[in-house]
Amino acid sequence: MVVDIPELFSREEVRQMRALLESAAWTDGRTTAGHRAARVKDNEQLAASDPLAQKLGQQVLERLGQTPLFIAAALPARVLPPRFSRYAGAGQYGDHVDNAIFPMPGTGEHLRSDISATLFLSDPDEYDGGELVIADTFGTHSAKPAAGHLIVYPGSSLHRVAPVTRGVRYAAFFWTQSFVPSPERRRLLFDLDGAIQSLAGDHPEHGSVDTFTQIYHNLLRQWSQT
């Protein structure tokens, strides 16, 4: 399931983030890639220890917790602090699959990457190329949304960032461990939740709202892992 979450950040908020990122201390992105992924990765990243990365990452985490569409799509149990990337000069990230397990900084615990996410921080007219291309069981999806949009997609998917042939592509990316590991079950719950919200909006007193809500929570109770 690929979900576009529009305007996670406003244009003014993105402008403020970009002003900081444009003067940041970028490093070779290959240093954080696995052995195989490093062969197809050509970008720059902020070090996880960089105070700017930590400051902006915390801003993203706080906004995610206030975004019902992200919560409905991801059913997040834990989220890895976001990282930040810069693509320019034909920079790209070829076909790869994300690591299945990531250490949670400073906790001694680990996160299973059920869900990957990319927050776009450049508008499409600022750069050529740079599409996020995702292949999953429902086909191939190409995403290049407006700055401030978040794309959520399966961590198990094969995906890539097309070469950036003009301009600069800034983005944040992170991984989420879901209470419901199965992408098929998450999709069913997401669709059911959307149907409940639609029915409740059109017919708030309809008795089926409570029935479907009960079904939703009983499925979540049955399928979730804590």
Side-chain angles (χ1 to χ4, degrees):
M1 178 173 68
V2 178
V3 179
D4 180 354
I5 300 176
E7 298 180 350
L8 185 72
F9 287 95
S10 70
R11 301 194 72 81
E12 176 58 23
E13 289 172 322
V14 170
R15 186 193 67 77
Q16 294 173 8
M17 294 172 123
R18 282 279 302 277
L20 296 170
L21 290 172
E22 286 168 3
S23 59
W26 296 95
T27 62
D28 189 339
R30 285 172 291 190
T31 60
T32 63
H35 172 71
R36 188 166 184 82
R39 301 188 307 169
V40 296
K41 187 176 186 181
D42 180 14
N43 71 355
E44 294 175 298
Q45 290 181 203
L46 289 187
S49 59
D50 189 306
L52 177 59
Q54 295 176 351
K55 174 185 174 181
L56 295 181
Q58 185 60 36
Q59 189 175 344
V60 174
L61 290 175
E62 290 174 358
R63 185 60 53 84
L64 293 174
Q66 302 165 1
T67 305
L69 184 55
F70 172 75
I71 294 170
L75 298 171
R78 57 179 66 180
V79 181
L80 196 72
R83 304 175 183 182
F84 295 84
S85 62
R86 180 183 186 274
Y87 290 81
Q92 62 179 311
Y93 198 165
D95 283 334
H96 65 283
V97 63
D98 293 331
N99 291 344
I101 303 293
F102 288 93
M104 291 289 289
T107 67
E109 299 180 347
H110 290 77
L111 172 145
R112 184 186 61 245
S113 59
D114 298 321
I115 299 164
S116 300
T118 299
L119 171 62
F120 285 74
L121 296 173
S122 297
D123 276 318
D125 61 358
E126 295 183 88
Y127 60 100
D128 291 337
E131 295 85 0
L132 172 64
V133 182
I134 306 156
D136 66 10
T137 55
F138 296 96
T140 300
H141 313 266
S142 180
K144 190 177 178 179
H149 282 227
L150 178 72
I151 302 296
V152 174
Y153 51 101
S156 58
S157 65
L158 193 68
H159 54 279
R160 68 182 184 271
V161 176
V164 173
T165 57
R166 177 188 66 85
V168 182
R169 176 195 190 268
Y170 291 97
F173 59 99
F174 58 91
W175 296 274
T176 300
Q177 179 171 319
S178 177
F179 280 114
V180 179
S182 164
E184 295 80 12
R185 290 175 175 177
R186 280 200 310 274
R187 184 182 184 93
L188 287 172
L189 288 168
F190 180 71
D191 291 344
L192 179 56
D193 183 50
I196 292 169
Q197 299 304 321
S198 179
L199 179 61
D202 294 338
H203 307 284
E205 303 303 323
H206 198 291
S208 294
V209 173
D210 289 336
T211 300
F212 289 137
T213 301
Q214 179 187 27
I215 292 170
Y216 173 90
H217 284 285
N218 284 338
L219 287 173
L220 181 58
R221 185 175 291 110
Q222 179 178 341
W223 291 342
S224 64
Q225 296 182 5
T226 59

